[in-house]
Amino acid sequence: MAMKRVATSAAGALASPPGSFGSSSALIRHLHASPGSKKIVGVFYKANEYASMNPNFVGCVEGALGIRDWLTSQGHQYIVTDDKEGPDSELEKHIPDLHVLISTPFHPAYVTAERIKKAKNLQLLLTAGIGSDHIDLNAAAAAGLTVAEVTGSNVVSVAEDELMRILILVRNFLPGYHQAVTGDWNVAGIAYRAYDLEGKTVGTVGAGRIGRLLLQRLKPFNCNLLYHDRLKMDPELENQTGAKFEEDLDAMLPKCDIIVVNMPLTDKTRGMFNKERIAKMKKGVLIVNNARGAIMDTQAVADACSSGHIGGYSGDVWYPQPAPKDHPWRYMPNHAMTPHISGTTIDAQLRYAAGVKDMLERYFKGEEFPPQHYIVKEGKLASQYQ
Amino acid sequence: MAMKRVATSAAGALASPPGSFGSSSALIRHLHASPGSKKIVGVFYKANEYASMNPNFVGCVEGALGIRDWLTSQGHQYIVTDDKEGPDSELEKHIPDLHVLISTPFHPAYVTAERIKKAKNLQLLLTAGIGSDHIDLNAAAAAGLTVAEVTGSNVVSVAEDELMRILILVRNFLPGYHQAVTGDWNVAGIAYRAYDLEGKTVGTVGAGRIGRLLLQRLKPFNCNLLYHDRLKMDPELENQTGAKFEEDLDAMLPKCDIIVVNMPLTDKTRGMFNKERIAKMKKGVLIVNNARGAIMDTQAVADACSSGHIGGYSGDVWYPQPAPKDHPWRYMPNHAMTPHISGTTIDAQLRYAAGVKDMLERYFKGEEFPPQHYIVKEGKLASQYQ
């Protein structure tokens, strides 16, 4: 029977009775921190000269989620860095004695089993945003850590961004933009493959919170909407969006002019869009993926873009992140890629900063988090990660 | 009392009784063409190597709207060119004896009063698409010509494109794309001015066919929607979109985070967004204009983008078109410009080609056109151009 490090204050409100764990590999450890003072490390992207350009820019190292004064006034230690990789990194230095690690999907602090083993005081892993796949969730569960996200904080941000990317691809925006900046004017070079979105078949692979918001926003475009998920939506939402359920993913794919990936990265979804699956799609298919880069087989996507089987690919997620300079998606034809940005608009930052603050406050008080925020709790993974 | 050149066959079904004209400057001319055979000239953009890449690419010189065989089999002469400017151009050569001129807004054949004077056989000016401001409509009316567009043919295409441009600006897409292609990764350099569309105030200046389709598509984004037009929409449509009527344009402008221009170019709207009017807008306002370039004061827009008063400007319309290499909008900061493309998607081309064919068929038979297609009829301009 394993003792676990529970994400709670000394009050221990989150502690489950021993025996509620499934994992036999959980480590036996004790809480070292004093009840009152916690060491909290935040890993964010650095803003440098951009930090001062917007008072609401709280999601960067300099903004530090806007919680520095609040944390330090309560006697907590708050270290913020963007230096997250390798044995000499700032993050690594604090691994042995931090209690809470706040990280984001945009500049992910990869929390490996090895780091978890070293982090003897660690209790709570908070994701400022959505998507905790940068954490070894099974190792976190085995170690009795709590992992939580600010569920819902940026679903609108991501859904909007997906619709933008659909339109950019369908309407062939980028070749036109290139002409504008290079002094060219060749309408034909754009128009020969520019289409209306109206009347096209759009399929979302995954219709969770983001997928549903996307379907709602697609509704007035008069498309043929399809969705694949583990479960059918409730009939009311299905009626509202007009989307049709496709139980069999491989039966849905060949019907789609546009495919949007809206699944979390899990052991089951990793690499699921490989060469074989891409081959099942329509020739010229357009793909939008703001979910996670590793859901795709990187080289298979690049090859299919080069051959023209994929007519356009847009997304803001890569593996790894930051994407190296030689990542093939930077060079493949007909892409509309950006760094990982869709969930970190200023509006989203304000929401997930508030969500993180709320969870820290509850953690200090020994209170439960909103149930939808838990990714790992009491040794168990949230259903979407199972 | 003027005799007019009516857009009709020898059957003269469209001919109005003499005296139905308002214009005193109408020229007295006779129809020179034989009843059966007409000389039709089409001015389109040239596709070159792109022509063969899509069988539905009918809107270019090579595609010739897909009506060549149909026209020649009936004994008509059909000349198609992209060479439209100056005294030695192909178009100029045919001006003296053409009966019908088909042109588009994407590669506009500027039909001046001088050309109309020279075009002694001209009866009918057809715009393949929407927007006939490249024609001197008053001169056309005075000469008794008929001008008609394929009203509705690309309104969906343009509205979709406008929503794409709104999202591209609000979410600061292009700096992210530049990073992806240049090997960079700097989320902060995008995020500091990336926002959700949700909750922002979007105002459309003009809520005709395109403006209304845009409002419908904006509805699920949970924005604050405003519109200015000559007339209030009917209450049902207002309820459906949730958009609020703003009678006074200058009172609406300071409220808007995003302004979309959706008015035709007329004597009244030419240059209406000048330095003074732009100054009334919110600092950092985003502007989308797929209507006509000349509605803006070109230099005032470029200056306001440089100063940051305009936070982003996107559109596909310029003056003149093609835009010269030194057009300031190619170089101003935070633009997302393209050549004139939004109304010439493949879907739109198929619709306006069908609409042109239908009107030619009616013209040969001496039948009326669908009433909403007329821009100039019997010496009078359609209401939106008055």
Side-chain angles (χ1 to χ4, degrees):
Chain A
M1 198 62 53
M3 285 292 287
K4 63 189 175 298
R5 296 175 289 171
V6 290
T8 179
S9 72
L14 280 179
S16 311
S20 67
F21 271 162
S23 167
S24 61
S25 64
L27 303 165
I28 299 168
R29 291 188 198 168
H30 301 283
L31 301 181
H32 297 286
S34 69
S37 175
K38 301 288 182 185
K39 181 168 183 176
I40 296 156
V41 174
V43 178
F44 310 112
Y45 51 80
K46 214 166 180 177
N48 299 314
E49 71 270 30
Y50 299 105
S52 59
M53 290 191 183
N54 191 328
N56 291 323
F57 192 6
V58 295
C60 55
V61 164
E62 295 85 345
L65 298 186
I67 54 176
R68 182 180 294 288
D69 291 349
W70 173 72
L71 283 174
T72 51
S73 72
Q74 292 180 65
H76 301 296
Q77 198 185 349
Y78 185 36
I79 290 133
V80 172
T81 182
D82 73 327
D83 183 20
K84 63 188 181 70
E85 307 285 353
D88 299 325
S89 64
E90 180 73 9
L91 171 59
E92 202 68 35
K93 214 167 79 184
H94 300 289
I95 288 283
D97 65 344
L98 57 77
H99 299 96
V100 180
L101 177 63
I102 307 169
S103 58
T104 78
F106 316 108
H107 185 74
Y110 293 106
V111 182
T112 57
E114 195 188 351
R115 277 183 164 167
I116 288 172
K117 206 172 160 186
K118 271 201 217 163
K120 301 207 184 303
N121 284 359
L122 184 58
Q123 297 176 318
L124 177 61
L125 290 155
L126 288 176
T127 300
I130 303 176
S132 300
D133 49 86
H134 55 286
I135 299 164
D136 186 329
L137 296 175
N138 289 314
L145 303 181
T146 295
V147 182
E149 307 178 345
V150 192
T151 299
S153 62
N154 55 14
V155 288
V156 163
S157 314
V158 177
E160 287 187 2
D161 195 273
E162 288 177 348
L163 187 41
M164 174 191 74
R165 288 171 198 270
I166 291 172
L167 287 166
I168 284 172
L169 295 180
V170 172
R171 308 191 56 94
N172 206 23
F173 168 76
L174 280 167
Y177 172 72
H178 288 307
Q179 290 184 22
V181 293
T182 58
D184 201 3
W185 186 281
N186 180 355
V187 173
I190 315 161
Y192 81 101
R193 59 195 303 265
Y195 293 89
D196 292 349
L197 178 51
E198 181 163 281
K200 306 303 179 290
T201 297
V202 186
T204 174
V205 186
R209 291 181 180 87
I210 295 170
R212 288 165 196 211
L213 290 171
L214 174 66
L215 290 171
Q216 286 169 341
R217 279 154 184 73
L218 279 167
K219 171 77 167 133
F221 282 89
N222 304 317
C223 299
N224 178 28
L225 299 178
L226 307 176
Y227 75 97
H228 167 76
D229 208 325
R230 292 172 301 174
L231 294 171
K232 221 166 162 325
M233 286 181 202
D234 69 69
E236 199 188 334
L237 197 59
E238 221 173 50
N239 280 341
Q240 195 199 321
T241 62
K244 286 190 205 99
F245 179 59
E246 294 273 343
E247 195 168 1
D248 179 356
L249 173 64
D250 292 318
M252 179 178 88
L253 295 178
K255 298 178 188 170
C256 297
D257 301 303
I258 299 135
I259 293 167
V260 187
V261 182
N262 272 312
M263 319 188 92
L265 176 63
T266 67
D267 290 345
K268 280 180 203 151
T269 64
R270 188 177 301 274
M272 70 180 277
F273 289 102
N274 54 17
K275 192 178 166 184
E276 291 68 38
R277 201 159 243 140
I278 290 170
K280 287 178 186 164
M281 300 174 185
K282 252 188 206 181
K283 184 171 160 46
V285 65
L286 306 176
I287 300 179
V288 169
N289 175 14
N290 280 7
R292 284 296 178 265
I295 296 174
M296 319 304 289
D297 176 327
T298 299
Q299 196 55 48
V301 168
D303 291 346
C305 280
S306 294
S307 77
H309 190 78
I310 294 178
Y313 184 95
S314 184
D316 69 340
V317 288
W318 312 63
Y319 186 79
Q321 291 185 184
K325 280 195 196 309
D326 63 351
H327 195 294
W329 291 359
R330 292 186 187 268
Y331 304 99
M332 63 192 184
N334 299 317
H335 81 73
M337 296 299 296
T338 68
H340 197 167
I341 175 68
S342 65
T344 185
T345 57
I346 294 293
D347 305 272
Q349 291 176 40
L350 292 173
R351 286 190 297 262
Y352 64 65
V356 165
K357 188 181 177 193
D358 175 67
M359 284 193 281
L360 286 173
E361 204 155 22
R362 289 166 187 262
Y363 163 68
F364 297 141
K365 289 186 194 162
E367 289 173 7
E368 288 273 323
F369 299 164
Q372 72 275 16
H373 288 4
Y374 286 108
I375 299 304
V376 174
K377 186 188 182 187
E378 297 169 5
K380 285 191 188 117
L381 272 61
S383 63
Q384 70 268 31
Y385 283 100
Q386 283 170 9
Chain B
M1 198 63 53
M3 285 292 287
K4 63 190 173 295
R5 296 174 291 172
V6 291
T8 179
S9 72
L14 281 180
S16 311
S20 66
F21 271 160
S23 168
S24 61
S25 64
L27 303 166
I28 298 168
R29 292 187 197 167
H30 299 284
L31 302 179
H32 297 287
S34 68
S37 175
K38 302 288 181 186
K39 180 168 185 175
I40 297 156
V41 174
V43 178
F44 309 113
Y45 51 80
K46 214 165 180 181
N48 299 311
E49 71 269 30
Y50 299 104
S52 59
M53 291 190 181
N54 191 328
N56 291 324
F57 192 7
V58 295
C60 54
V61 164
E62 296 85 344
L65 298 186
I67 54 174
R68 181 181 294 289
D69 291 350
W70 173 71
L71 282 174
T72 51
S73 72
Q74 293 181 65
H76 301 296
Q77 197 185 348
Y78 186 35
I79 291 133
V80 172
T81 183
D82 73 327
D83 183 19
K84 64 188 181 70
E85 307 286 354
D88 299 325
S89 64
E90 179 73 9
L91 171 59
E92 201 67 35
K93 213 168 79 184
H94 299 289
I95 288 283
D97 66 343
L98 55 77
H99 298 96
V100 179
L101 176 63
I102 307 169
S103 58
T104 79
F106 316 109
H107 185 73
Y110 294 105
V111 182
T112 58
E114 195 188 351
R115 275 183 166 168
I116 287 172
K117 204 170 162 188
K118 270 200 217 164
K120 302 209 183 300
N121 284 359
L122 183 57
Q123 297 176 318
L124 176 62
L125 291 155
L126 289 176
T127 300
I130 302 176
S132 301
D133 48 87
H134 55 287
I135 298 166
D136 185 327
L137 296 175
N138 289 313
L145 303 181
T146 295
V147 182
E149 307 178 347
V150 193
T151 299
S153 62
N154 54 14
V155 288
V156 163
S157 314
V158 178
E160 286 187 3
D161 195 273
E162 288 177 347
L163 188 41
M164 174 190 75
R165 288 172 198 269
I166 291 172
L167 288 166
I168 283 172
L169 294 181
V170 173
R171 306 191 57 92
N172 205 22
F173 168 76
L174 281 166
Y177 172 71
H178 288 307
Q179 289 184 24
V181 294
T182 58
D184 202 3
W185 185 282
N186 180 356
V187 172
I190 315 161
Y192 81 101
R193 59 195 304 265
Y195 292 89
D196 292 350
L197 179 52
E198 182 163 281
K200 306 302 177 291
T201 297
V202 186
T204 173
V205 186
R209 292 182 179 88
I210 294 170
R212 289 165 195 210
L213 290 171
L214 174 66
L215 290 171
Q216 287 168 342
R217 280 154 184 73
L218 279 167
K219 171 78 166 130
F221 282 88
N222 304 317
C223 298
N224 178 28
L225 300 178
L226 307 177
Y227 74 97
H228 167 77
D229 207 327
R230 292 172 302 174
L231 294 171
K232 221 166 162 325
M233 287 181 201
D234 70 70
E236 199 189 333
L237 197 59
E238 221 173 50
N239 281 341
Q240 194 199 323
T241 63
K244 286 189 206 99
F245 179 59
E246 294 272 344
E247 196 169 1
D248 179 356
L249 174 64
D250 291 318
M252 179 178 88
L253 295 179
K255 299 178 189 170
C256 297
D257 301 303
I258 300 135
I259 293 167
V260 187
V261 182
N262 272 312
M263 319 189 93
L265 176 63
T266 67
D267 291 342
K268 281 180 203 153
T269 64
R270 187 177 302 274
M272 69 180 276
F273 288 102
N274 54 17
K275 193 177 165 185
E276 291 67 40
R277 202 158 244 139
I278 290 169
K280 288 179 186 165
M281 299 175 184
K282 251 186 207 185
K283 183 170 160 46
V285 65
L286 307 176
I287 300 179
V288 170
N289 176 14
N290 279 7
R292 284 297 178 263
I295 295 175
M296 320 303 290
D297 176 326
T298 298
Q299 196 54 49
V301 168
D303 290 346
C305 279
S306 294
S307 77
H309 189 78
I310 294 177
Y313 184 94
S314 183
D316 69 340
V317 288
W318 313 63
Y319 186 78
Q321 290 185 184
K325 280 194 197 306
D326 63 353
H327 196 294
W329 292 359
R330 294 187 186 267
Y331 303 100
M332 63 191 183
N334 300 317
H335 82 73
M337 296 299 297
T338 67
H340 198 169
I341 176 68
S342 65
T344 184
T345 57
I346 295 293
D347 305 271
Q349 291 174 41
L350 292 172
R351 286 190 297 261
Y352 63 66
V356 165
K357 188 182 175 191
D358 175 66
M359 284 194 280
L360 286 173
E361 206 156 19
R362 289 167 188 261
Y363 163 67
F364 298 141
K365 288 187 195 163
E367 289 174 7
E368 288 273 323
F369 298 164
Q372 71 276 15
H373 287 5
Y374 286 107
I375 299 304
V376 174
K377 187 188 180 189
E378 297 171 4
K380 287 192 188 116
L381 271 63
S383 63
Q384 71 267 31
Y385 283 100
Q386 283 170 8

